[in-house]
Amino acid sequence: MAAAPASIAVVGGGIAGFSAVRELRRQGYTGTLSLVDPVGLPYDRPPLSKAFLAGTLDRLRLQLAPAQWYEDNDTSVIADTVDKLEPGDGATPPVLVLDSGRELAADVVLLATGARARRLPLPGMDLPGVLTLRSADDAQALQAHLVPGAHLVILGAGLVGAEVAGTARTLGAAVTLVDPAELPSAKVVGPEMAGYLQGLHAGHGTAHIRDTAAAITAEGQSLGVELAAGGRLSATAVLVAAGSEPETALAEAAGLSVDGGVLVDGAGRTSHPRIFAAGDSSRRLGPGGVPGRRFEHWDAARRTGEAAAAGMLGIDPPAGAADWFWSDRYGVHLEVAGSMVVPGQTVLRGEPGPGFTAFRLGLDGRLAGVAAVDGGTAVRAARKLIESGRVLDPALLQDPAVDVRRLARGKA
């Protein structure tokens, strides 16, 4: 094993950057460790569309760890922006040039720069009241518009759009989702589960228009949303929830290999020997050097941060795991693991509502994915089944009397 670097600088305070810092110290790393982020202490993002937006979770409780943790773990948190990454020639340490004018050299740099909200090529995107949601400041700006009598138009009915719709309704705002897809989440959760989730919108008074926006205009104190198929919506605010784009500007300017994300191996190594990447801004190279899918979920960011920590220390990264994420809207908790869209068949367990579960079996009879409503223990067991690669009897998955946990232990 190569000697650990004497100093490491982490750029980005999301879950990937924080997980890397935490794992480095957990593994016994004793070198100089710095984390640079414009807002300072790292905080959690998933609550931004839910509890934080609703006002039931304050900013202090968003923090991934209290300030004392960084002091106890000898980690310097620098509230600054990295303007430039000077990569060096591989023999010399990279240098981070900060907005304050400070230069920070480190033997190894981890880029955990995350992603930014995707902007739509629409007239009116820069009007006051046209918002996106990626940060706590974004959430607070949106929250100011979510009052009884308000009308929020959301462009995009994916996970973030759907979660914000649920929160906005609880705050008394009217909501209209605009998305061209009949079942916007079908490619993520499968059509059966997507149909159930779509029904929640109607059941809670959220409108869904199958269309796209053509322009946003100012209408006095309100906004107008021109629809591509004709028609016009009047809104007090517009949220653009059209996905995200990786923040790769630093990596590109430094000459790293970038293709829809900073390209990395399983241990977060980039094309530069002293620079690693993790989280939403990274994209793992698969067999034959072909870039794989760029994952944007919390658990994937955590795992890539931990893998990069191992890579920087020259040890084997943790074993891979099935992709997993969750979503909450209208009091319903959804969990998804693996892939729900591989060729094969879907096996349904239960009726739409609490406990409703969709299993996706591949053509080879192995479990490829699971989506469940209020079924966390079943999802955890199903993840183990996905990772085991066992061939399963569809009848066992369909039968509510069969405990998925026993299946995972090979006892059913």
Side-chain angles (χ1 to χ4, degrees):
M1 184 180 76
S7 58
I8 295 175
V10 177
V11 183
I15 187 62
F18 173 75
S19 296
V21 167
R22 181 177 58 188
E23 183 68 5
L24 285 166
R25 290 306 192 213
R26 193 182 73 81
Q27 291 289 348
Y29 177 64
T30 58
T32 301
L33 187 52
S34 304
L35 186 148
V36 185
D37 189 278
V39 300
L41 295 179
Y43 66 90
D44 212 10
R45 266 62 173 182
L48 297 182
S49 57
K50 301 178 281 287
F52 185 75
L53 183 62
T56 58
L57 183 73
D58 63 28
R59 198 152 185 163
L60 184 63
R61 287 190 292 158
L62 274 183
Q63 291 179 0
L64 289 165
Q68 186 64 42
W69 185 92
Y70 300 94
E71 185 175 334
D72 292 344
N73 287 274
D74 196 18
T75 299
S76 174
V77 178
I78 302 168
D80 208 335
T81 299
V82 179
D83 285 342
K84 184 180 180 182
L85 167 59
E86 296 178 351
D89 59 7
T92 56
V95 176
L96 301 176
V97 181
L98 308 185
D99 183 62
S100 62
R102 177 180 175 183
E103 294 189 354
L104 177 65
D107 290 314
V108 171
V109 167
L110 171 65
L111 296 176
T113 48
R116 61 184 178 276
R118 178 176 289 116
R119 292 177 59 83
L120 295 175
L122 297 177
M125 276 290 293
D126 295 322
L127 287 171
V130 179
L131 309 167
T132 56
L133 180 59
R134 288 295 299 185
S135 69
D137 286 346
D138 291 342
Q140 289 180 318
L142 175 59
Q143 185 187 54
H145 293 273
L146 302 183
V147 295
H151 180 207
L152 176 67
V153 172
I154 304 176
L155 305 183
L159 296 179
V160 171
E163 290 178 349
V164 170
T167 303
R169 292 295 295 134
T170 66
L171 295 174
V175 180
T176 300
L177 290 162
V178 178
D179 194 297
E182 181 178 0
L183 297 174
S185 299
K187 291 183 179 179
V188 179
V189 304
E192 298 84 3
M193 186 61 72
Y196 164 70
L197 296 175
Q198 188 67 12
L200 293 175
H201 290 310
H204 288 81
T206 298
H208 174 218
I209 296 176
R210 289 189 62 190
D211 205 343
T212 58
I216 304 171
T217 59
E219 293 182 342
Q221 298 300 309
S222 299
L223 295 166
V225 179
E226 305 275 358
L227 300 176
R232 180 185 184 90
L233 298 172
S234 181
T236 51
V238 175
L239 175 69
V240 179
S244 69
E245 297 172 331
E247 290 281 12
T248 58
L250 283 176
E252 291 179 60
L256 304 185
S257 294
V258 175
D259 181 1
V262 184
L263 299 180
V264 298
D265 67 7
R269 300 180 186 89
T270 71
S271 56
H272 189 286
R274 288 177 177 262
I275 303 175
F276 289 68
D280 292 0
S281 62
S282 67
R283 189 179 180 196
R284 182 174 173 177
L285 292 167
V290 177
R293 175 182 164 196
R294 183 176 68 88
F295 291 99
E296 300 179 58
H297 305 305
W298 187 96
D299 189 58
R302 176 188 63 81
R303 288 189 286 109
T304 58
E306 292 175 354
M312 290 185 285
L313 295 178
I315 61 178
D316 292 334
D323 184 38
W324 167 71
F325 68 92
W326 72 92
S327 178
D328 297 283
R329 75 285 300 272
Y330 307 112
V332 169
H333 180 68
L334 171 76
E335 291 190 38
V336 182
S339 172
M340 295 298 296
V341 294
V342 300
Q345 64 171 316
T346 297
V347 179
L348 301 179
R349 173 184 289 216
E351 298 297 323
F356 179 48
T357 306
F359 298 97
R360 187 67 180 177
L361 284 175
L363 295 173
D364 57 5
R366 303 176 198 276
L367 187 63
V370 61
V373 175
D374 298 331
T377 56
V379 172
R380 284 193 292 274
R383 288 181 79 187
K384 294 178 180 177
L385 287 168
I386 294 169
E387 291 158 11
S388 74
R390 282 171 46 201
V391 175
L392 298 170
D393 181 351
L396 294 177
L397 293 175
Q398 186 177 27
D399 186 355
V402 176
D403 192 331
V404 183
R405 293 172 296 180
R406 288 182 61 83
L407 272 181
R409 292 194 296 264
K411 295 182 179 181

